[in-house]
Amino acid sequence: MKKIILSTLFLISVFSCKKESAKTEDGMAVQDSASVSETTEAPAALKMYTAEQTSEFLGKKNDTLYVTNFFATWCGPCVKEIPHFKNKIQELKGKPVKITFVSVDSKTDWNTKVPQFVDAQGIRNNTVLLDGQLLGGDFFAANFKSWDGGAIPFTFMRRGDKTDETLGMISEEQLTEKINSLLK
C-alpha cells in the first residue's frame, strides 16, 4: 500500500510541474551556414536505464564527482537550470566530474519530445531515460536521504562517501559552491 501511495505521489508531483517551452533569446533558432555539414549522422540513441541500473550509477563511490539531475522536458524550473549544468560541463571538462541528466518524462515522449529537447539544449550525450512510473518508495529510500520522488528538479551529487541533495531549482552559484565543496 505504501508503494502505491508513494508512486501516486511521484506521478502527481511530476505532472504538477508547470509546462514551459524552451526558447532561444529572440524566439528563433539561428544556424550559421558554415556549421552546416554535408553529411549528417544520426545522433546516438538515448540510453534507457532501469531502476536497478540507476541505483548502481547513483551508488558509484570513487574519486569522480557524479552530478545527477533529475528533470522533465515540460518542467519550467528544470529547463531554467539546465544552462547552469551546461556551463559546468564546459568549465570542468577534463576533470573527474561527470554530469548526467535523467529524464523522467513519460515513455510516450522518449522517441519524440525528449530527443528534440535534449538536442535543442545540447545535452544528448549527458542524458539518460528513466521510467518514473516504475519507481517505488523503496527506490527512493535506498538511494536518497530526503527525496521521495515527490517533485523535480532534483540534483544528487556523490564523490566517494560524500553526498549532497538539492530538491528544487538550483542556481549557478549554489551549483558551483556544492561542486567545489565536494571536489575538496
Side-chain angles (χ1 to χ4, degrees):
M1 184 66 168
K2 204 179 225 185
K3 189 174 183 180
I4 293 170
I5 292 170
L6 286 173
S7 295
T8 304
L9 287 174
F10 174 73
L11 291 174
I12 290 170
S13 66
V14 168
F15 289 112
S16 67
C17 191
K18 182 181 173 191
K19 289 188 177 191
E20 289 189 19
S21 299
K23 296 179 182 176
T24 59
E25 269 186 39
D26 60 1
M28 299 183 70
V30 179
Q31 188 170 13
D32 185 353
S33 61
S35 68
V36 177
S37 62
E38 291 182 24
T39 58
T40 55
E41 293 180 27
L46 292 168
K47 294 177 187 171
M48 293 173 256
Y49 275 25
T50 64
E52 294 79 21
Q53 289 170 314
T54 304
S55 291
E56 287 175 23
F57 175 77
L58 293 169
K60 288 184 180 179
K61 294 181 181 181
N62 55 38
D63 287 342
T64 298
L65 170 58
Y66 294 93
V67 179
T68 308
N69 178 260
F70 292 81
F71 81 101
T73 59
W74 45 261
C75 170
C78 301
V79 173
K80 287 179 183 174
E81 71 180 6
I82 287 175
H84 310 323
F85 290 95
K86 286 175 52 178
N87 290 342
K88 288 296 165 198
I89 291 169
Q90 291 302 314
E91 180 184 320
L92 299 168
K93 199 173 219 167
K95 299 206 187 236
V97 177
K98 181 172 177 56
I99 297 177
T100 304
F101 298 94
V102 179
S103 169
V104 293
D105 284 272
S106 170
K107 282 182 84 170
T108 59
D109 295 332
W110 283 9
N111 293 319
T112 55
K113 293 178 184 174
V114 177
Q116 293 168 0
F117 177 83
V118 299
D119 288 342
Q121 294 292 325
I123 58 172
R124 177 180 282 266
N125 294 333
N126 299 77
T127 303
V128 297
L129 304 168
L130 176 63
D131 188 353
Q133 293 181 336
L134 298 179
L135 303 178
D138 54 335
F139 169 81
F140 297 103
N143 292 294
F144 311 109
K145 293 176 188 168
S146 61
W147 191 43
D148 63 4
I152 53 173
F154 176 74
T155 303
F156 179 76
M157 298 184 200
R158 174 185 295 281
R159 181 169 183 231
D161 289 326
K162 293 193 257 179
T163 63
D164 184 87
E165 298 181 11
T166 304
L167 179 59
M169 194 170 94
I170 190 169
S171 71
E172 190 157 10
E173 294 78 23
Q174 290 172 315
L175 182 61
T176 298
E177 181 181 306
K178 289 173 183 273
I179 287 174
N180 288 342
S181 72
L182 287 170
L183 285 175
K184 286 181 182 179

